[in-house]
Short mmCIF file of all heavy atoms in Angstrom, two decimals:
data_model
loop_
_atom_site.label_atom_id
_atom_site.label_comp_id
_atom_site.label_asym_id
_atom_site.label_seq_id
_atom_site.Cartn_x
_atom_site.Cartn_y
_atom_site.Cartn_z
N PHE A 71 -1.57 4.71 9.04
CA PHE A 71 -2.14 3.58 8.32
C PHE A 71 -3.66 3.69 8.19
O PHE A 71 -4.36 4.09 9.15
CB PHE A 71 -1.86 2.28 9.06
CG PHE A 71 -0.61 1.57 8.61
CD1 PHE A 71 0.30 1.13 9.54
CD2 PHE A 71 -0.42 1.29 7.28
CE1 PHE A 71 1.48 0.47 9.12
CE2 PHE A 71 0.72 0.62 6.87
CZ PHE A 71 1.67 0.22 7.80
N ILE A 104 -1.10 5.61 4.52
CA ILE A 104 -0.67 4.32 3.91
C ILE A 104 -1.81 3.39 3.94
O ILE A 104 -2.26 2.90 4.96
CB ILE A 104 0.50 3.72 4.72
CG1 ILE A 104 1.62 4.74 4.94
CG2 ILE A 104 0.98 2.48 4.10
CD1 ILE A 104 2.72 4.27 5.89
N ILE A 105 -2.39 3.12 2.75
CA ILE A 105 -3.59 2.29 2.61
C ILE A 105 -3.13 0.84 2.51
O ILE A 105 -2.32 0.46 1.65
CB ILE A 105 -4.39 2.67 1.37
CG1 ILE A 105 -4.73 4.17 1.41
CG2 ILE A 105 -5.68 1.85 1.29
CD1 ILE A 105 -5.32 4.70 0.10
N ALA A 106 -3.64 0.02 3.42
CA ALA A 106 -3.20 -1.39 3.51
C ALA A 106 -4.43 -2.31 3.39
O ALA A 106 -5.00 -2.72 4.42
CB ALA A 106 -2.45 -1.68 4.79
N PRO A 107 -4.86 -2.70 2.18
CA PRO A 107 -6.08 -3.50 1.98
C PRO A 107 -5.72 -4.98 2.27
O PRO A 107 -5.65 -5.80 1.30
CB PRO A 107 -6.44 -3.26 0.56
CG PRO A 107 -5.50 -2.22 0.01
CD PRO A 107 -4.29 -2.28 0.88
N ILE A 108 -5.62 -5.37 3.49
CA ILE A 108 -5.21 -6.71 3.85
C ILE A 108 -6.25 -7.77 3.48
O ILE A 108 -5.91 -8.94 3.29
CB ILE A 108 -4.84 -6.81 5.34
CG1 ILE A 108 -4.05 -8.07 5.61
CG2 ILE A 108 -6.07 -6.67 6.21
CD1 ILE A 108 -3.44 -8.14 6.99
N ALA A 110 -8.10 -7.74 0.69
CA ALA A 110 -8.33 -7.82 -0.74
C ALA A 110 -7.96 -9.19 -1.28
O ALA A 110 -7.29 -9.97 -0.64
CB ALA A 110 -7.54 -6.73 -1.46
N TYR A 112 -5.80 -10.86 -3.74
CA TYR A 112 -4.66 -10.56 -4.55
C TYR A 112 -4.43 -11.50 -5.71
O TYR A 112 -3.52 -11.28 -6.50
CB TYR A 112 -3.43 -10.40 -3.67
CG TYR A 112 -3.44 -9.18 -2.83
CD1 TYR A 112 -3.97 -9.17 -1.54
CD2 TYR A 112 -3.01 -7.96 -3.32
CE1 TYR A 112 -4.05 -8.03 -0.77
CE2 TYR A 112 -3.07 -6.78 -2.59
CZ TYR A 112 -3.60 -6.84 -1.28
OH TYR A 112 -3.66 -5.69 -0.55
N PHE A 116 -7.07 -5.08 -8.69
CA PHE A 116 -8.03 -4.19 -8.05
C PHE A 116 -9.06 -3.66 -9.01
O PHE A 116 -9.99 -2.97 -8.61
CB PHE A 116 -7.30 -3.03 -7.36
CG PHE A 116 -6.63 -3.39 -6.05
CD1 PHE A 116 -6.67 -4.70 -5.60
CD2 PHE A 116 -5.97 -2.46 -5.31
CE1 PHE A 116 -6.03 -5.07 -4.40
CE2 PHE A 116 -5.35 -2.79 -4.10
CZ PHE A 116 -5.40 -4.11 -3.63
N ALA A 124 -12.17 -2.77 -1.84
CA ALA A 124 -10.83 -2.22 -1.79
C ALA A 124 -10.67 -1.09 -2.72
O ALA A 124 -10.07 -0.02 -2.41
CB ALA A 124 -9.81 -3.30 -2.03
N ILE A 128 -9.73 2.93 -1.87
CA ILE A 128 -8.60 3.63 -2.45
C ILE A 128 -9.05 4.89 -3.19
O ILE A 128 -8.47 5.99 -3.02
CB ILE A 128 -7.80 2.69 -3.39
CG1 ILE A 128 -7.17 1.54 -2.59
CG2 ILE A 128 -6.70 3.47 -4.16
CD1 ILE A 128 -6.68 0.41 -3.48
N TYR A 139 -0.13 6.46 -0.10
CA TYR A 139 0.87 5.40 -0.15
C TYR A 139 0.13 4.06 -0.07
O TYR A 139 -0.88 3.95 0.54
CB TYR A 139 1.85 5.53 1.02
CG TYR A 139 2.75 6.73 0.98
CD1 TYR A 139 2.23 8.02 1.06
CD2 TYR A 139 4.14 6.61 0.91
CE1 TYR A 139 3.03 9.14 1.04
CE2 TYR A 139 4.96 7.71 0.88
CZ TYR A 139 4.42 8.97 0.97
OH TYR A 139 5.24 10.08 0.94
N MET A 140 0.71 3.05 -0.72
CA MET A 140 0.09 1.71 -0.74
C MET A 140 0.95 0.67 -0.02
O MET A 140 2.13 0.58 -0.33
CB MET A 140 -0.21 1.27 -2.17
CG MET A 140 -1.21 2.12 -2.91
SD MET A 140 -2.82 2.30 -2.15
CE MET A 140 -3.26 0.60 -1.87
N TRP A 141 0.33 -0.11 0.83
CA TRP A 141 0.97 -1.28 1.44
C TRP A 141 0.15 -2.49 0.97
O TRP A 141 -0.96 -2.72 1.44
CB TRP A 141 0.88 -1.16 2.97
CG TRP A 141 1.61 -2.25 3.74
CD1 TRP A 141 1.29 -3.59 3.70
CD2 TRP A 141 2.70 -2.11 4.63
NE1 TRP A 141 2.15 -4.29 4.48
CE2 TRP A 141 3.00 -3.41 5.10
CE3 TRP A 141 3.42 -1.04 5.09
CZ2 TRP A 141 4.01 -3.68 6.01
CZ3 TRP A 141 4.43 -1.29 6.02
CH2 TRP A 141 4.74 -2.57 6.46
N LEU A 142 0.70 -3.21 0.02
CA LEU A 142 0.03 -4.34 -0.59
C LEU A 142 0.62 -5.66 -0.07
O LEU A 142 1.57 -5.68 0.71
CB LEU A 142 0.12 -4.27 -2.12
CG LEU A 142 -0.35 -2.91 -2.69
CD1 LEU A 142 0.05 -2.79 -4.15
CD2 LEU A 142 -1.83 -2.74 -2.52
N TYR A 143 0.05 -6.79 -0.50
CA TYR A 143 0.48 -8.11 0.01
C TYR A 143 0.71 -9.11 -1.14
O TYR A 143 -0.13 -9.18 -2.06
CB TYR A 143 -0.56 -8.63 0.96
CG TYR A 143 -0.79 -7.76 2.19
CD1 TYR A 143 -1.70 -6.72 2.15
CD2 TYR A 143 -0.05 -7.97 3.34
CE1 TYR A 143 -1.85 -5.89 3.27
CE2 TYR A 143 -0.20 -7.15 4.46
CZ TYR A 143 -1.10 -6.11 4.41
OH TYR A 143 -1.28 -5.27 5.48
N GLU A 144 1.79 -9.89 -1.06
CA GLU A 144 2.01 -10.93 -2.04
C GLU A 144 2.42 -12.25 -1.36
O GLU A 144 3.08 -13.09 -1.95
CB GLU A 144 3.14 -10.49 -3.01
CG GLU A 144 4.45 -10.12 -2.41
CD GLU A 144 5.46 -9.61 -3.44
OE1 GLU A 144 5.05 -9.33 -4.58
OE2 GLU A 144 6.65 -9.50 -3.12
N THR A 145 1.96 -12.43 -0.13
CA THR A 145 2.20 -13.65 0.63
C THR A 145 1.02 -13.92 1.54
O THR A 145 0.41 -12.96 2.03
CB THR A 145 3.48 -13.49 1.48
OG1 THR A 145 4.62 -13.46 0.61
CG2 THR A 145 3.68 -14.69 2.42
N TYR A 147 0.31 -15.07 5.05
CA TYR A 147 1.13 -15.28 6.24
C TYR A 147 0.61 -16.43 7.13
O TYR A 147 1.33 -16.82 8.05
CB TYR A 147 1.19 -13.94 7.01
CG TYR A 147 2.03 -12.92 6.30
CD1 TYR A 147 1.41 -12.03 5.47
CD2 TYR A 147 3.38 -13.02 6.34
CE1 TYR A 147 2.20 -11.15 4.73
CE2 TYR A 147 4.16 -12.14 5.65
CZ TYR A 147 3.60 -11.20 4.80
OH TYR A 147 4.36 -10.35 4.08
N PHE A 154 1.47 -18.34 -3.50
CA PHE A 154 0.44 -17.32 -3.42
C PHE A 154 0.28 -16.70 -4.81
O PHE A 154 1.12 -15.97 -5.28
CB PHE A 154 0.85 -16.27 -2.36
CG PHE A 154 -0.23 -15.26 -2.09
CD1 PHE A 154 -1.38 -15.62 -1.39
CD2 PHE A 154 -0.05 -13.92 -2.41
CE1 PHE A 154 -2.33 -14.68 -1.07
CE2 PHE A 154 -1.04 -12.98 -2.11
CZ PHE A 154 -2.19 -13.36 -1.42
N SER A 156 -0.45 -14.37 -6.89
CA SER A 156 -0.65 -12.96 -7.27
C SER A 156 0.32 -12.56 -8.39
O SER A 156 0.48 -11.37 -8.61
CB SER A 156 -0.46 -12.06 -6.04
OG SER A 156 0.87 -12.15 -5.57
N THR A 159 -1.32 -10.57 -11.47
CA THR A 159 -2.31 -9.53 -11.17
C THR A 159 -1.62 -8.28 -10.59
O THR A 159 -2.22 -7.21 -10.56
CB THR A 159 -3.32 -10.00 -10.13
OG1 THR A 159 -2.67 -10.38 -8.92
CG2 THR A 159 -4.06 -11.23 -10.68
N THR A 160 -0.35 -8.45 -10.15
CA THR A 160 0.32 -7.37 -9.42
C THR A 160 0.49 -6.11 -10.26
O THR A 160 0.22 -4.99 -9.76
CB THR A 160 1.68 -7.83 -8.94
OG1 THR A 160 1.46 -8.97 -8.01
CG2 THR A 160 2.42 -6.75 -8.22
N VAL A 161 0.91 -6.23 -11.51
CA VAL A 161 1.16 -5.06 -12.30
C VAL A 161 -0.11 -4.25 -12.51
O VAL A 161 -0.13 -3.01 -12.38
CB VAL A 161 1.77 -5.44 -13.65
CG1 VAL A 161 2.00 -4.15 -14.50
CG2 VAL A 161 3.10 -6.17 -13.46
N ASP A 162 -1.23 -4.95 -12.78
CA ASP A 162 -2.51 -4.26 -12.94
C ASP A 162 -2.95 -3.57 -11.61
O ASP A 162 -3.53 -2.46 -11.67
CB ASP A 162 -3.60 -5.25 -13.38
CG ASP A 162 -3.50 -5.59 -14.84
OD1 ASP A 162 -2.76 -4.87 -15.59
OD2 ASP A 162 -4.15 -6.56 -15.30
N THR A 163 -2.67 -4.21 -10.50
CA THR A 163 -2.96 -3.57 -9.21
C THR A 163 -2.14 -2.31 -8.99
O THR A 163 -2.67 -1.29 -8.56
CB THR A 163 -2.74 -4.58 -8.06
OG1 THR A 163 -3.76 -5.61 -8.15
CG2 THR A 163 -2.86 -3.89 -6.70
N TYR A 164 -0.88 -2.38 -9.33
CA TYR A 164 -0.07 -1.15 -9.26
C TYR A 164 -0.63 -0.05 -10.16
O TYR A 164 -0.71 1.11 -9.75
CB TYR A 164 1.37 -1.46 -9.72
CG TYR A 164 2.19 -2.29 -8.77
CD1 TYR A 164 3.27 -3.05 -9.26
CD2 TYR A 164 1.95 -2.28 -7.40
CE1 TYR A 164 4.05 -3.80 -8.40
CE2 TYR A 164 2.73 -3.07 -6.56
CZ TYR A 164 3.76 -3.80 -7.04
OH TYR A 164 4.55 -4.58 -6.21
N ARG A 165 -1.07 -0.46 -11.35
CA ARG A 165 -1.58 0.54 -12.31
C ARG A 165 -2.87 1.17 -11.75
O ARG A 165 -3.04 2.39 -11.82
CB ARG A 165 -1.88 -0.14 -13.63
CG ARG A 165 -2.21 0.78 -14.78
CD ARG A 165 -2.32 0.03 -16.12
NE ARG A 165 -1.07 -0.59 -16.46
CZ ARG A 165 -0.92 -1.89 -16.70
NH1 ARG A 165 -1.92 -2.69 -16.51
NH2 ARG A 165 0.26 -2.32 -17.01
N PHE A 166 -3.73 0.38 -11.16
CA PHE A 166 -4.95 0.91 -10.52
C PHE A 166 -4.62 1.93 -9.45
O PHE A 166 -5.20 3.02 -9.40
CB PHE A 166 -5.82 -0.23 -9.95
CG PHE A 166 -7.02 0.26 -9.21
CD1 PHE A 166 -8.21 0.44 -9.88
CD2 PHE A 166 -6.98 0.55 -7.87
CE1 PHE A 166 -9.34 0.89 -9.22
CE2 PHE A 166 -8.05 1.02 -7.19
CZ PHE A 166 -9.27 1.19 -7.86
N CYS A 167 -3.67 1.54 -8.57
CA CYS A 167 -3.31 2.46 -7.47
C CYS A 167 -2.73 3.78 -8.03
O CYS A 167 -3.04 4.82 -7.52
CB CYS A 167 -2.32 1.76 -6.55
SG CYS A 167 -3.00 0.29 -5.70
N PHE A 168 -1.86 3.66 -9.00
CA PHE A 168 -1.26 4.85 -9.60
C PHE A 168 -2.31 5.74 -10.22
O PHE A 168 -2.30 6.99 -10.04
CB PHE A 168 -0.22 4.41 -10.65
CG PHE A 168 0.40 5.56 -11.43
CD1 PHE A 168 1.37 6.36 -10.81
CD2 PHE A 168 0.02 5.83 -12.69
CE1 PHE A 168 1.95 7.42 -11.48
CE2 PHE A 168 0.60 6.91 -13.39
CZ PHE A 168 1.57 7.70 -12.78
N ALA A 172 -1.87 7.13 -6.02
CA ALA A 172 -0.80 6.58 -5.20
C ALA A 172 0.57 7.09 -5.70
O ALA A 172 0.82 7.09 -6.90
CB ALA A 172 -0.86 5.09 -5.21
N PHE A 174 3.44 5.97 -3.91
CA PHE A 174 4.42 5.01 -3.34
C PHE A 174 3.76 3.67 -3.28
O PHE A 174 2.58 3.55 -2.90
CB PHE A 174 4.82 5.50 -1.94
CG PHE A 174 5.72 4.53 -1.21
CD1 PHE A 174 7.09 4.60 -1.32
CD2 PHE A 174 5.18 3.56 -0.35
CE1 PHE A 174 7.91 3.75 -0.59
CE2 PHE A 174 6.01 2.71 0.35
CZ PHE A 174 7.35 2.77 0.22
N MET A 175 4.53 2.60 -3.63
CA MET A 175 4.03 1.23 -3.56
C MET A 175 4.96 0.38 -2.75
O MET A 175 6.19 0.46 -2.91
CB MET A 175 3.90 0.61 -4.95
CG MET A 175 3.29 1.44 -6.00
SD MET A 175 1.52 1.35 -6.09
CE MET A 175 1.20 2.17 -7.62
N PHE A 176 4.41 -0.40 -1.85
CA PHE A 176 5.19 -1.45 -1.14
C PHE A 176 4.39 -2.70 -1.17
O PHE A 176 3.18 -2.68 -0.81
CB PHE A 176 5.49 -0.99 0.29
CG PHE A 176 6.09 -2.09 1.16
CD1 PHE A 176 7.37 -2.53 0.94
CD2 PHE A 176 5.31 -2.71 2.17
CE1 PHE A 176 7.91 -3.55 1.67
CE2 PHE A 176 5.86 -3.73 2.93
CZ PHE A 176 7.19 -4.15 2.69
N ASN A 177 5.05 -3.85 -1.52
CA ASN A 177 4.34 -5.12 -1.58
C ASN A 177 4.96 -6.05 -0.55
O ASN A 177 6.13 -6.42 -0.66
CB ASN A 177 4.45 -5.71 -2.99
CG ASN A 177 3.19 -6.52 -3.36
OD1 ASN A 177 2.42 -6.86 -2.50
ND2 ASN A 177 3.04 -6.79 -4.63
N ASP A 178 4.21 -6.41 0.47
CA ASP A 178 4.71 -7.15 1.60
C ASP A 178 4.81 -8.65 1.24
O ASP A 178 3.82 -9.32 1.08
CB ASP A 178 3.75 -6.97 2.77
CG ASP A 178 4.37 -7.30 4.11
OD1 ASP A 178 5.47 -7.84 4.10
OD2 ASP A 178 3.77 -6.97 5.13
N GLY A 179 6.06 -9.13 1.18
CA GLY A 179 6.28 -10.54 0.84
C GLY A 179 7.03 -11.24 1.90
O GLY A 179 6.89 -11.01 3.08
N ASP A 197 8.20 -6.55 -9.01
CA ASP A 197 8.09 -5.37 -8.12
C ASP A 197 9.12 -4.28 -8.47
O ASP A 197 8.76 -3.11 -8.57
CB ASP A 197 8.27 -5.76 -6.65
CG ASP A 197 7.14 -6.62 -6.14
OD1 ASP A 197 6.04 -6.62 -6.73
OD2 ASP A 197 7.34 -7.30 -5.07
N GLU A 201 6.85 -1.26 -9.87
CA GLU A 201 6.58 -0.24 -8.86
C GLU A 201 7.07 1.14 -9.32
O GLU A 201 6.56 2.15 -8.83
CB GLU A 201 7.24 -0.60 -7.54
CG GLU A 201 6.55 -1.71 -6.79
CD GLU A 201 7.28 -2.09 -5.51
OE1 GLU A 201 8.46 -1.72 -5.35
OE2 GLU A 201 6.67 -2.83 -4.71
#
Side-chain angles (χ1 to χ4, degrees):
F71 267 130
I104 306 172
I105 306 170
I108 194 170
Y112 288 93
F116 284 2
I128 295 167
Y139 292 64
M140 294 305 306
W141 184 299
L142 306 169
Y143 298 88
E144 58 183 13
T145 292
Y147 290 95
F154 188 68
S156 63
T159 62
T160 297
V161 179
D162 283 345
T163 290
Y164 289 153
R165 189 174 297 121
F166 175 90
C167 295
F168 176 75
F174 175 89
M175 314 275 191
F176 170 70
N177 213 344
D178 199 349
D197 290 342
E201 285 177 347

